[in-house]
Amino acid sequence: MPALRLLGRKWLAASDDLVFPSIFELLFRFVWLVLIALVVEVLIPITWQCSSEGWLGGAFVRLYLCGTLALQATLLLLLAALALHSAKGTITDVDARKMVAPLLLLKVLLVLPEIALNAMGTMWMFCEVIECSVTDKFSSIVIQSIVLFNWVQLALTIFGLFMVFDPLGSVNYDDMQDTPNQARHHKKVTGLWSRRFRWAFCWLKRDEHGKEAFQQVAALLSALFRSTDLVPSDVVAGCVLLRVRQKRETREMRRIQMLNDEEPIYTTDVNKIFSETPPWMNLEDALHYLRLSIAAYGWPYVLYRHCFTGFCKLAKHLTCCCCRPKNSIVTDDNCCLCHFAGVKYMSKLSADDIIFASFNNRVFELPFCVIADHERESIVVAVRGSISLRDIFTDFTAGSEKFEADGLPEETAAHKGMSMGAAKMLRRLMPVLDRAFQQFPHYDLVLTGHSLGAGVAVLVALKLRPRYPHLKVFAFSTPAGLISREAARFTESFVLTIGVGDDLVMRLSVHSIENLRTKVIQTIHATKLPKYRIMLNGFGYALFGVPARDLESTWRRPEELEAHAADDSDALLAQGVSTEAALVSRNVFARRFSSARLFTAGRILHIVRRKRMGIEKKVRTQEPTYEMRWACAEDFMELQVMPRMLLDHLPENVHRTMQTVLEEKHSYRVTHVV
């Protein structure tokens, strides 16, 4: 940060990104230098005995050997200087690395003689046009290997240049501070991302809303980091620093709670948690409906969970193509009804209990199942979560649009992709529900889903509630950016949302990503470490956690991090950071992709792993593994960079957590009775 300027344009790399590539290449070239030196010592005397007519004899070979030796030595010195200068200064201290661009330009120019010398080596070793044969087997193998590795290295160099090439790099970043130029640049970046999507995901263009999804996601990606001059490695380093910053803030909060002798927010007492909730809100029913929502994932989930035995588990539930009934309740499955087989296997239900199953998966269109749950006398609508690229585009069509349903405030907004998915699903669902309740008129209606499926289930429930006032929703790991705050409060009476630990998706919204962007910029300005140190620390944190000493030693002035940025929809008043950081943060924060702030719906039960203290770390005790609390939607507005933020979202981990809570509740009760 900022991006590297070279050859008159901006690249998607920074001047401090060259430490590890330079060291890696230096080690390889050192080995090549030693080997070529040995070969030169052996072959130079022999070359005087080769044919001396023209250039295609001994002189040609001597030129190649001596030129390669000299070039490798020069490149070694150049790479050492490049690594040394790239390691200087912090991420924002560009002046300390002012020699990186000239050194890199020199290295790029040396590619031309390297190509020429490698072509000479190829002619000598592989084309048999040079009248100077090598009888020494070791020397022959070394030269051939160096020639081949050089071509591979040149190909990797070209690939690396392609990866860091910015198609809009000729635009001057300083000129983007003017509003008209910002809008023009934003439009260009949006068009660029849209073209990339159309090329990379060309099969999605056939979908009815494929092009619209491309345009929406392209606009989002363009808006998030426009005019920030961040490169990808800056974002990675910023996330590592945020992990340290957030752990420091958590430690300070715990210290303050201990000093104030405050009551713990979380509790392990399940009965206390559910003492003031309606009877239908309980973990036993939630676990039952989670199993049905997982079943909606179909055969891909079975193969994911049982990589080697998945096909055998599905085999007995498959249907032969010729035996498939014409009036099947299953639509858009393959000829053997593999998705349907997965649903039957995971739900442990018979085909007669599944009233309808749609596996049509398009952009803004999700598969779902309608199940007759005789055990709990309910008609269950299980909506599948994200599992395909089409679902990802539905997720990232994250702008807000007006959402209308009886009982909601007039200005209610909802996640656009999920809102469109709910509208499409309703058209297919309504006739099925009419038939189901004609058959089972005394049953209740329950909707359930995980992740994207949970968000769509909530929006469908809001549309259906006037017709089915007693419906209930069991939502698991619901995305944060779902619906307006007042509408989210309205759903608390009929939606139970359960989230586990540091789940990323429960905190993922346009607003939280924009806040993350601003925090990354502030944190990068606050650190005193160079980027290569941050990256090395990141590997250590992933393996061993963040040591206590790094919570203070990472920052120029740790007290800077104590200041919290207060924001409204238009500006950020950054306090306690450098002038430059405050200016950039305020400037970026004012550009919001979506004016409406969206929240998680329902009454939210947050379950976390209980932190073991003192002797518990050494001695195995009978204390519960997890603790929980009733959270509010505002608690999930900030992204947390944590080791388990992806794992805690996976449905099998949510299921395992809830099952463990119930098992420990039962065993704890039995132990106390005895």
Side-chain angles (χ1 to χ4, degrees):
M1 180 182 184
L4 179 67
R5 267 68 172 176
L6 188 68
L7 300 175
R9 66 182 304 114
K10 184 180 73 171
W11 299 78
L12 296 177
S15 56
D16 53 359
D17 287 340
L18 303 173
V19 178
F20 297 119
S22 298
I23 292 174
F24 186 74
E25 187 178 347
L26 188 146
L27 293 175
F28 268 95
R29 289 193 182 275
F30 177 75
V31 175
W32 295 352
L33 181 65
V34 172
L35 292 175
I36 199 70
L38 294 174
V39 170
V40 166
E41 185 178 357
V42 172
L43 293 184
I44 285 293
I46 299 175
T47 61
W48 295 102
Q49 303 172 9
C50 297
S51 172
S52 58
E53 296 180 5
W55 281 97
L56 300 181
F60 183 93
V61 176
R62 286 192 296 275
L63 177 62
Y64 168 72
L65 291 174
C66 295
T68 301
L69 186 64
L71 182 63
Q72 294 297 332
T74 303
L75 285 171
L76 273 180
L77 295 175
L78 184 60
L79 288 168
L82 200 56
L84 182 64
H85 283 280
S86 183
K88 290 182 177 180
T90 63
I91 295 178
T92 56
D93 189 7
V94 184
D95 290 338
R97 299 184 295 273
K98 60 185 178 183
M99 292 300 296
V100 169
L103 290 171
L104 188 59
L105 180 60
L106 179 59
K107 186 180 183 305
V108 171
L109 293 176
L110 287 177
V111 169
L112 297 176
E114 190 172 12
I115 292 174
L117 287 169
N118 217 41
M120 293 170 66
T122 304
M123 291 170 63
W124 178 29
M125 285 287 107
F126 298 101
C127 297
E128 298 181 358
V129 296
I130 309 299
E131 298 177 6
C132 190
S133 59
V134 180
T135 56
D136 182 61
K137 191 173 182 180
F138 170 77
S139 299
S140 178
I141 292 174
V142 167
I143 295 297
Q144 290 177 3
S145 301
I146 288 177
V147 168
L148 291 173
F149 275 112
N150 262 328
W151 286 125
V152 171
Q153 188 267 334
L154 286 169
L156 291 175
T157 300
I158 294 171
F159 177 74
L161 289 173
F162 173 77
M163 293 299 293
V164 299
F165 178 76
D166 185 355
L168 300 176
S170 59
V171 178
N172 190 347
Y173 170 70
D174 295 329
D175 294 340
M176 291 299 102
Q177 305 309 314
D178 298 329
T179 302
N181 287 335
Q182 287 176 5
R184 205 159 40 243
H185 185 64
H186 172 58
K187 187 177 180 180
K188 288 181 179 179
V189 175
T190 301
L192 175 64
W193 276 108
S194 186
R195 287 193 298 273
R196 286 171 175 170
F197 290 147
R198 286 199 298 271
W199 177 80
F201 309 111
C202 54
W203 67 92
L204 296 184
K205 290 192 293 186
R206 296 192 300 268
D207 289 10
E208 181 184 354
H209 299 284
K211 292 182 180 180
E212 181 182 357
F214 289 163
Q215 190 67 22
Q216 290 285 331
V217 178
L220 173 62
L221 292 177
S222 171
L224 287 179
F225 290 98
R226 61 172 169 163
S227 303
T228 58
D229 209 22
L230 290 172
V231 299
S233 61
D234 291 333
V235 179
V236 175
C239 289
V240 173
L241 293 171
L242 273 179
R243 173 74 184 101
V244 181
R245 174 180 176 175
Q246 289 168 351
K247 182 163 184 177
R248 185 179 184 276
E249 291 171 351
T250 302
R251 187 189 67 172
E252 290 301 310
M253 286 175 58
R254 286 179 180 158
R255 186 177 65 84
I256 292 171
Q257 286 177 359
M258 291 178 63
L259 290 175
N260 296 339
D261 198 20
E262 296 178 2
E263 256 188 65
I265 300 174
Y266 289 87
T267 178
T268 58
D269 190 344
V270 180
N271 294 327
K272 179 181 177 182
I273 282 288
F274 290 98
S275 61
E276 298 180 1
T277 60
W280 67 270
M281 283 191 185
N282 60 80
L283 280 181
E284 290 81 2
D285 285 349
L287 184 63
H288 173 76
Y289 291 118
L290 174 60
R291 191 158 42 242
L292 296 183
S293 66
I294 292 175
Y297 280 101
W299 68 264
Y301 187 82
V302 178
L303 295 183
Y304 156 68
R305 292 292 292 155
H306 309 283
C307 298
F308 300 106
T309 61
F311 179 77
C312 298
K313 295 180 183 298
L314 289 173
K316 63 180 180 180
H317 298 286
L318 295 175
T319 303
C320 178
C321 299
C322 57
C323 301
R324 181 173 176 173
K326 292 183 179 179
N327 57 343
S328 174
I329 59 171
V330 182
T331 64
D332 303 296
D333 204 349
N334 54 32
C335 63
C336 296
L337 301 182
C338 292
H339 278 296
F340 193 53
V343 172
K344 288 188 288 183
Y345 169 74
M346 287 187 288
S347 65
K348 310 300 180 189
L349 297 173
S350 66
D352 295 335
D353 294 330
I354 301 174
I355 299 171
F356 179 77
S358 168
F359 297 105
N360 187 32
N361 190 201
R362 296 284 183 269
V363 177
F364 306 141
E365 192 164 355
L366 300 179
F368 66 95
C369 301
V370 181
I371 298 167
D373 183 4
H374 303 299
E375 181 183 348
R376 283 168 171 75
E377 294 190 340
S378 59
I379 301 297
V380 181
V381 180
V383 189
R384 198 192 76 180
S386 301
I387 202 174
S388 70
L389 280 172
R390 289 181 167 91
D391 300 331
I392 299 300
F393 276 98
T394 303
D395 282 317
F396 280 93
T397 306
S400 58
E401 71 171 12
K402 190 173 182 179
F403 184 81
E404 296 179 346
D406 290 350
L408 294 181
E410 284 187 12
E411 298 303 319
T412 295
H415 183 287
K416 183 171 183 176
M418 296 184 199
S419 177
M420 295 179 71
K424 279 184 167 291
M425 180 179 160
L426 273 169
R427 287 198 288 270
R428 306 191 75 178
L429 179 62
M430 292 298 292
V432 178
L433 289 182
D434 290 339
R435 292 199 305 271
F437 282 106
Q438 285 176 6
Q439 190 175 358
F440 306 103
H442 62 287
Y443 277 24
D444 295 323
L445 177 60
V446 175
L447 291 93
T448 186
H450 172 265
S451 188
L452 172 62
V456 173
V458 170
L459 298 182
V460 169
L462 285 168
K463 293 283 191 180
L464 289 176
R465 197 159 185 266
R467 190 169 183 177
Y468 303 98
H470 300 295
L471 66 76
K472 304 293 184 292
V473 180
F474 289 85
F476 305 94
S477 304
T478 313
L482 178 60
I483 201 165
S484 302
R485 188 65 186 102
E486 289 304 315
R489 289 193 181 93
F490 176 75
T491 62
E492 291 179 3
S493 61
F494 62 93
V495 177
L496 173 61
T497 296
I498 296 180
V500 171
D502 301 316
D503 189 340
L504 169 70
V505 175
M506 284 201 70
R507 296 171 171 82
L508 192 62
S509 65
V510 173
H511 188 83
S512 64
I513 295 175
E514 289 175 325
N515 287 348
L516 176 71
R517 169 197 64 192
T518 306
K519 282 192 172 183
V520 163
I521 295 172
Q522 291 176 336
T523 308
I524 283 174
H525 280 81
T527 185
K528 66 179 182 181
L529 299 180
K531 189 185 291 183
Y532 79 93
R533 281 279 308 278
I534 296 170
M535 295 298 192
L536 288 174
N537 288 349
F539 284 110
Y541 300 158
L543 295 174
F544 310 109
V546 183
R549 64 178 181 275
D550 285 7
L551 300 182
E552 304 295 334
S553 63
T554 302
W555 318 106
R556 287 194 183 104
R557 292 181 293 277
E559 62 272 10
E560 287 184 354
L561 300 174
E562 300 296 335
H564 294 281
D567 70 282
D568 53 26
S569 60
D570 300 318
L572 172 72
L573 300 177
Q575 301 175 0
V577 295
S578 67
T579 305
E580 182 184 2
L583 177 62
V584 173
S585 298
R586 181 165 57 249
N587 196 24
V588 169
F589 204 89
R591 291 191 286 274
R592 288 286 183 188
F593 176 75
S594 177
S595 58
R597 190 179 296 189
L598 304 180
F599 297 81
T600 301
R603 190 162 188 182
I604 307 167
L605 179 66
H606 189 213
I607 306 174
V608 299
R609 183 175 290 273
R610 191 172 66 88
K611 188 174 179 62
R612 298 185 181 276
M613 306 296 290
I615 196 172
E616 285 187 274
K617 294 181 179 179
K618 302 177 182 179
V619 180
R620 189 176 181 86
T621 65
Q622 295 297 320
E623 293 299 317
T625 308
Y626 296 95
E627 55 188 4
M628 63 202 76
R629 72 178 177 107
W630 291 112
C632 62
E634 286 79 6
D635 296 332
F636 300 93
M637 295 303 293
E638 297 292 333
L639 282 173
Q640 301 289 322
V641 182
M642 297 292 180
R644 289 190 58 88
M645 61 185 184
L646 294 176
L647 293 175
D648 284 341
H649 180 69
L650 297 178
E652 64 271 20
N653 289 334
V654 179
H655 184 275
R656 188 184 301 116
T657 298
M658 293 172 61
Q659 195 169 37
T660 302
V661 170
L662 287 173
E663 288 172 354
E664 290 180 347
K665 173 189 173 185
H666 177 71
S667 62
Y668 188 77
R669 183 190 302 162
V670 171
T671 303
H672 277 64
V673 168
V674 173

